[in-house]
């Protein structure tokens, strides 16, 4: 088997073996369509219900508030686009400059059909301040969408405050929590969230499955026409195996949230301490409240793309904050949004550690960085 160190867990994660085992019966002998009335479909139907209950309990939601989707992209598209399908007089959406493209490109689509979008700027630490939202919000805003934690720099947002300001002005609040679910505590009830997007492959579940939390009583028009699955809100035959895998992975991660966090902070510390000891110049992006295990580091005068390729040759997977082609280095919209200067942005890499990484691997990543940068 190929030996490598995987440190790009913000891109995707390894499927948990317990989750994989839980999926197998639904791919093999129990393949019945969960919506059929005969007894062969009873077990898949029950499995769906149990998975919904498990997922709901992980974020303190009600089971009927969890709607299965194909992942974060679909959940995000749904919320943004459906917000224009109502007959409400309110047409304007507020979001931020550093959302994932699933949100930003959905916003472009609704703007093209005449629905205004306001883009809030985060601070240099990657925080969307409540006062920034307060400056822009009016009673004409229909939806506010702010990500729970940023996928490039890891900064965790003041969701409760943002949500409360939105509600004071009669706006609904959505959060893209794709990077946060299964990694930090989320209580949708306490936070007051109306809609929340999540994706299983970011928390050691399978790819191509996720969910949208829709607060009870909120109406979100379906944007796919078809069958009556998912309480008539999201058509399509249910992917029972993946849904069971997602619920199993989420429960397992949520049951060890504290342990996983401590492990990841200790790995981060190893890398940071080793870079400091070696006298490597860098700055760390994000705020003091950042996703566990996510290190966005900028090395002045260096090229993040070159660092990525050198580490790749050493069998280590990380990512950059800039996407290059042969002629141009395009700085990521996230780094632009936090006003990182070009030199630092070009020298930025993202190391995202996961629960399967070890302290030995953290030391090997540090060794590799020191070798390439020293
Ligand atoms: N939102 C955020 C913040 C993400 O990081 C991602 C994936 O990278 C997505 C949405 C898209 O999720 P999916 O890959 O499940 O479509």
């Amino acid at each position: 088997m190929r030996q490598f160190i995987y440190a790009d867990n913000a891109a995707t994660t390894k499927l948990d073996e317990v989750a994989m085992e839980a999926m197998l019966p639904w791919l093999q002998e129990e393949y019945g369509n969960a919506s059929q009335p005969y007894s062969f479909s009873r077990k898949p139907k029950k499995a769906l219900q149990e998975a919904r209950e498990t997922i709901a309990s992980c974020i303190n939601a009600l089971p009927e508030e969890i709607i299965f989707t194909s992942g974060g992209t679909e959940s995000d598209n749904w919320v943004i686009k459906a917000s224009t399908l109502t007959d409400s007089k309110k047409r304007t959406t507020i979001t931020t400059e550093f959302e994932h493209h699933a949100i930003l490109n959905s916003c472009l689509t609704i703007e093209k059909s005449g629905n205004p979008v306001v883009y809030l700027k985060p601070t240099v630490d990657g925080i969307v301040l409540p006062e920034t939202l307060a400056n822009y919000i009016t009673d004409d805003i229909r939806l506010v969408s702010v990500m729970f934690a940023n996928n490039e720099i890891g900064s965790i947002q003041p969701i409760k405050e943002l949500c409360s300001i939105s509600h004071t002005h009669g706006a609904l609040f959505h959060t893209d929590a794709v990077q946060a679910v299964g990694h930090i505590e989320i209580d949708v009830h306490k936070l007051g969230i109306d809609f929340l997007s999540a994706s299983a492959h970011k928390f050691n579940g399978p790819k191509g499955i996720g969910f949208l939390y829709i607060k009870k009583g909120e109406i979100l028009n379906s944007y796919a026409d078809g069958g009556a699955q998912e309480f008539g809100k999201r058509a399509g035959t249910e992917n029972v195996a993946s849904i069971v895998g997602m619920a199993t992975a989420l429960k397992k991660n949520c049951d060890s949230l504290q342990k996983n966090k401590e492990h990841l902070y200790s790995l981060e510390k190893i890398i940071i301490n080793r870079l400091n000891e070696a006298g490597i110049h860098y700055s760390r992006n994000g705020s003091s409240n950042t996703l566990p295990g996510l290190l966005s580091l900028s090395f002045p005068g260096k090229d993040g793309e070159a660092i990525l390729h050198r580490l790749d040759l050493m069998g280590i997977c990380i990512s950059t904050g800039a996407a290059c082609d042969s002629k141009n280095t395009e700085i990521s919209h996230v780094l632009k949004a936090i006003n990182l200067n070009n030199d630092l942005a070009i020298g930025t890499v993202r190391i995202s550690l996961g629960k399967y990484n070890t302290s030995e691997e953290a030391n090997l990543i540090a060794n590799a960085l020191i070798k390439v940068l020293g």
Side-chain angles (χ1 to χ4, degrees):
M1 185 129 131
R2 194 158 61 99
Q3 289 295 315
F4 62 93
I5 296 174
Y6 186 72
D8 198 19
N9 287 274
T12 195
T13 57
K14 182 173 188 249
L15 179 62
D16 193 298
E17 271 184 32
V18 179
M20 195 194 71
E21 290 290 331
M23 292 171 71
L24 293 178
W26 313 103
L27 291 167
Q28 294 169 328
E29 62 271 22
E30 299 290 353
Y31 53 83
N33 184 322
S35 296
Q36 289 299 79
Y38 40 69
S39 50
F40 183 53
S41 287
R42 228 172 266 149
K43 277 194 186 170
K45 196 177 293 171
K46 187 160 175 275
L48 268 191
Q49 182 53 19
E50 285 172 1
R52 209 183 298 281
E53 287 164 9
T54 302
I55 290 171
S57 71
C58 292
I59 58 166
N60 196 24
L62 299 169
E64 62 269 30
E65 294 175 322
I66 303 297
I67 308 296
F68 300 125
T69 65
S70 64
T73 299
E74 181 186 330
S75 298
D76 286 349
N77 270 259
W78 186 4
V79 176
I80 299 294
K81 292 177 182 171
S83 70
T84 66
L85 297 176
T86 63
D87 48 16
S88 162
K89 294 263 181 323
K90 300 180 178 192
R91 309 307 305 168
T92 307
T93 299
I94 293 187
T95 188
T96 79
E97 289 182 4
F98 73 164
E99 297 294 312
H100 188 271
H101 281 111
I103 293 287
L104 292 178
N105 288 342
S106 296
C107 285
L108 277 184
T109 300
I110 63 167
E111 278 185 289
K112 279 185 200 144
S113 54
N115 298 280
V117 180
V118 174
Y119 298 88
L120 302 180
K121 199 167 183 58
T123 64
V124 290
D125 292 334
I127 298 294
V128 179
L129 294 174
E131 45 268 44
T132 309
L133 175 60
N135 282 341
Y136 283 90
I137 199 158
T138 64
D139 291 351
D140 293 331
I141 305 299
R142 200 194 116 64
L143 179 77
V144 175
S145 178
V146 179
M147 66 200 321
F148 211 108
N150 183 270
N151 49 306
E152 279 187 41
I153 57 176
S155 49
I156 299 170
Q157 305 306 313
I159 294 297
K160 194 169 196 291
E161 291 83 349
L162 296 168
C163 200
S164 154
I165 293 169
S166 306
H167 288 163
T168 305
H169 290 269
L172 293 167
F173 187 84
H174 166 250
T175 184
D176 172 346
V178 165
Q179 294 288 339
V181 171
H183 300 286
I184 53 176
E185 294 84 1
I186 296 180
D187 182 325
V188 286
H189 188 70
K190 265 197 204 152
L191 294 168
I193 295 165
D194 297 300
F195 309 112
L196 174 146
S197 305
S199 175
H201 75 100
K202 307 288 186 179
F203 52 77
N204 307 98
K207 293 175 179 53
I209 192 77
F211 65 88
L212 180 65
Y213 157 80
I214 305 180
K215 188 180 184 174
K216 195 173 179 180
E218 293 305 346
I219 310 236
L220 196 62
N221 290 352
S222 167
Y223 82 113
D225 297 319
Q229 294 93 347
E230 296 298 293
F231 316 109
K233 292 179 175 157
R234 197 274 190 178
T237 303
E238 300 91 344
N239 183 347
V240 180
S242 293
I243 290 167
V244 169
M246 167 163 69
T248 309
L250 184 58
K251 174 92 175 80
K252 192 168 169 197
N253 277 16
C254 287
D255 284 348
S256 4
L257 224 48
Q258 195 51 34
K259 192 176 119 232
N260 289 348
K261 267 202 223 172
E262 282 164 18
H263 173 62
L264 292 171
Y265 286 134
S266 76
L267 299 186
E268 280 181 17
K269 223 183 224 171
I270 291 176
I271 297 177
I272 293 293
N273 288 347
R274 292 283 316 283
L275 292 181
N276 290 343
E277 282 158 21
I280 303 288
H281 294 293
Y282 68 91
S283 56
R284 183 171 179 182
N285 303 306
S287 61
S288 54
N289 188 19
T290 295
L291 285 173
L294 198 149
L295 285 169
S296 170
L297 303 176
S298 298
F299 300 100
K302 305 288 181 187
D303 180 351
E305 195 78 7
I307 299 171
L308 179 153
H309 290 301
R310 294 278 305 276
L311 262 62
D312 186 27
L313 291 174
M314 299 178 197
I316 299 171
C317 311
I318 59 162
S319 72
T320 58
C324 290
D325 62 33
S326 53
K327 293 193 201 88
N328 302 304
T329 298
E330 172 108 19
I331 305 299
S332 96
H333 69 287
V334 173
L335 302 182
K336 273 188 193 157
I338 61 167
N339 282 348
L340 200 67
N341 72 45
N342 266 16
D343 177 46
L344 285 175
I346 289 168
T348 300
V349 297
R350 178 187 70 183
I351 300 163
S352 49
L353 303 157
K355 65 177 183 175
Y356 295 121
N357 287 118
T358 62
S359 48
E360 189 193 352
E361 288 180 330
N363 270 303
L364 290 170
I365 294 169
N367 287 349
L369 284 173
I370 294 164
K371 189 164 179 200
V372 168
L373 296 160

